[in-house]
Amino acid sequence: MADRITVIGWDGTPLTEAAATALAGATLVAGAPYQLAALPVPAGAERIALGSVQSAARRIAEHRGTAVVVAEGDPGFFGVVRTLRRPEYGLELEVLPAVSSVAAAFARAGMPWEDAQVVSAHGGRLRRAANVCRAHPKVAVLTTADAGPSELALMLRGVHRTFVVCEALGTPEEDVTVLTSDRVPDHDWRDPSVVLVIGGSPQTSGEAAGWLAGRPVGFPGTDRGWALPTEAYTGTDAEGRPADGERALPPHVRALAAARLGPVPGDLVWTVGAGSGALAVEIARFGAAVVAVEEDSAACARIGLNARRYGAEVDVVHGAGPEVLGGLPEPDAVAVEHGGAQVVRAVLARRPERLVAVAHTLAEAEEIREAAAAAGYRVEGTLLQAAPLTHRPGRPAGLALGPGEQTVVLWGGLAP
């Protein structure tokens, strides 16, 4: 193994004294071709063009001498340090970081970024990176040559965002371009270090700093948790009851549906027949991207209102289930809140990994089960029955059961 391995982060600025000393004493230097050409690599040192970090790590493990690995920015942040530290290589590292490309990109844009999501499109994760951009108003995406700004913008077709494309950060060819997402595919881009995707919920300038990185500051609303009371999404009438004409799944049904959908950041979830958007908003608050499909225009407005109230990003699509599903982006999971077997069949044609469907009668539940089984999905289900407790002041037994509700919830996944 090499006597000493130093990982130098380089952002295009002059090397620190420690980094320059390490490089001057190196007998092996690994880095990108432009880095090897621009830095003062010792004449007698072995040079390795850093294409495969795994191959470089194996060569360094065999080397007898002093090795230096040059990486962009902060090599411990989505960088080479993670691979070089794998136990099979047995390498002990000294890391000398520079400013990360993400920090540099936000600095060029003049924006704070403790409330930003940071994702990588490397390794075939472009679709999941795009879903994070759907779900959050400020995202930094580390791109690749084949998963760059144009490919990302096409994944976000129909979702308005502003792109800050940072090409060749820290080099003499550095260029920063600001465009709306619909114009990004019209350009030919060099391999950029990072793309900032900004939009969605409006950001208030001068708002107080948050305390937890990666979370937006100043979330609208003060309600914690999920499976909130129905009236939290529908509003109430003069007597404090859920407003007439507003459809929202009851809290216990939403809780089971969310558990079976299992939404996480990077997922895209459809809610079809979304009503007031209660389930859509709660899924979005788990960090998943959500498309809510609803045919009633007043309900669509309510979904938008609820999303803003609870600080969620929900893409609202006005239309009936089967007719509009063909134009939607690929889902990881789908909840069919209203629509029955006909909508379930249309949904399963898109082959989501997970399905939840709500039936309002046992006959409808059987139709949905048969449709899902015919499409190759394993199907389970349960009948939920709930009766709220009511209080009757002045009576010997103050608590009483209110009118009961019965709902059938079915869920399934693709059979192996």
Side-chain angles (χ1 to χ4, degrees):
M1 185 179 73
D3 300 324
R4 185 174 71 249
I5 303 103
T6 304
V7 184
I8 297 173
W10 188 48
D11 57 10
T13 61
L15 294 175
T16 64
E17 182 178 353
T21 299
L23 185 60
T27 57
L28 181 152
V29 180
Y34 81 89
Q35 294 168 331
L36 298 177
L39 292 172
V41 177
E46 178 183 351
R47 297 176 178 229
I48 298 177
L50 200 58
S52 167
V53 181
Q54 292 90 339
S55 296
R58 287 192 292 268
R59 177 67 191 98
I60 292 169
E62 298 168 353
H63 183 70
R64 296 296 178 266
T66 302
V68 165
V69 179
V70 183
E72 291 184 1
D74 183 352
F77 185 71
F78 284 100
V80 300
V81 169
R82 180 173 299 278
T83 300
L84 293 175
R85 281 187 57 85
R86 288 181 182 174
E88 61 262 34
Y89 303 128
L91 303 178
E92 296 184 6
L93 310 178
E94 178 184 8
V95 181
L96 304 175
V99 176
S100 75
S101 59
V102 174
F106 278 108
R108 303 297 192 273
M111 299 176 66
W113 64 285
E114 75 278 353
D115 56 342
Q117 307 294 314
V118 182
V119 297
S120 172
H122 292 236
R125 296 185 179 92
L126 177 63
R127 191 181 74 86
R128 298 192 68 80
N131 288 339
V132 173
C133 295
R134 287 176 174 273
H136 296 276
K138 186 187 290 183
V139 183
V141 183
L142 301 172
T143 59
T144 67
D146 58 352
S150 295
E151 291 80 5
L152 181 61
L154 290 172
M155 283 278 184
L156 293 173
R157 187 184 292 112
V159 179
H160 180 74
R161 293 290 187 269
T162 297
F163 275 43
V164 182
V165 181
C166 301
E167 298 177 276
L169 276 173
T171 73
E173 292 76 33
E174 178 182 306
D175 194 15
V176 177
T177 306
V178 180
L179 287 173
T180 54
S181 51
D182 59 311
R183 296 177 58 195
V184 170
D186 298 334
H187 291 251
D188 292 325
W189 303 101
R190 292 171 291 162
D191 188 7
S193 301
V194 63
V195 176
L196 308 183
V197 182
I198 312 297
S201 297
Q203 300 291 298
T204 304
S205 60
E207 58 194 0
W211 65 277
L212 180 63
R215 298 295 295 176
V217 295
F219 255 13
T222 58
D223 297 276
R224 290 175 178 262
W226 49 286
L228 300 178
T230 301
E231 55 268 25
Y233 297 101
T234 62
T236 57
D237 60 19
E239 298 181 5
R241 297 171 300 192
D244 291 339
E246 297 280 7
R247 291 181 292 118
L249 296 179
H252 60 283
V253 176
R254 277 183 267 126
L256 178 59
R260 294 304 180 182
L261 289 168
V264 296
D267 281 353
L268 176 64
V269 181
W270 296 352
T271 61
V272 185
S276 64
L279 180 60
V281 169
E282 290 180 345
I283 291 170
R285 295 178 75 191
F286 282 102
V290 180
V291 177
V293 180
E294 173 55 50
E295 61 181 331
D296 182 82
S297 58
C300 287
R302 171 68 71 176
I303 296 170
L305 179 65
N306 284 327
R308 290 189 294 274
R309 177 183 178 187
Y310 293 106
E313 293 285 336
V314 176
D315 184 11
V316 183
V317 176
H318 181 211
E323 288 74 21
V324 301
L325 300 183
L328 300 185
E330 294 302 314
D332 296 284
V334 179
V336 178
E337 301 186 50
H338 298 87
Q342 179 186 13
V343 172
V344 167
R345 292 187 189 95
V347 161
L348 296 184
R350 299 292 291 274
R351 313 304 289 170
E353 293 179 6
R354 301 177 301 284
L355 168 76
V356 168
V358 177
H360 302 279
T361 65
L362 288 177
E364 185 180 56
E366 177 60 19
E367 290 180 7
I368 292 172
R369 188 200 66 78
E370 291 178 353
Y377 283 71
R378 301 183 309 273
V379 185
E380 299 178 73
T382 190
L383 171 66
L384 298 180
Q385 181 168 334
L389 288 174
T390 60
H391 181 59
R392 300 180 299 181
R395 300 194 179 187
L399 289 177
L401 290 177
E405 295 180 352
Q406 290 187 343
T407 307
V408 180
V409 180
L410 298 103
W411 62 88
L414 284 166

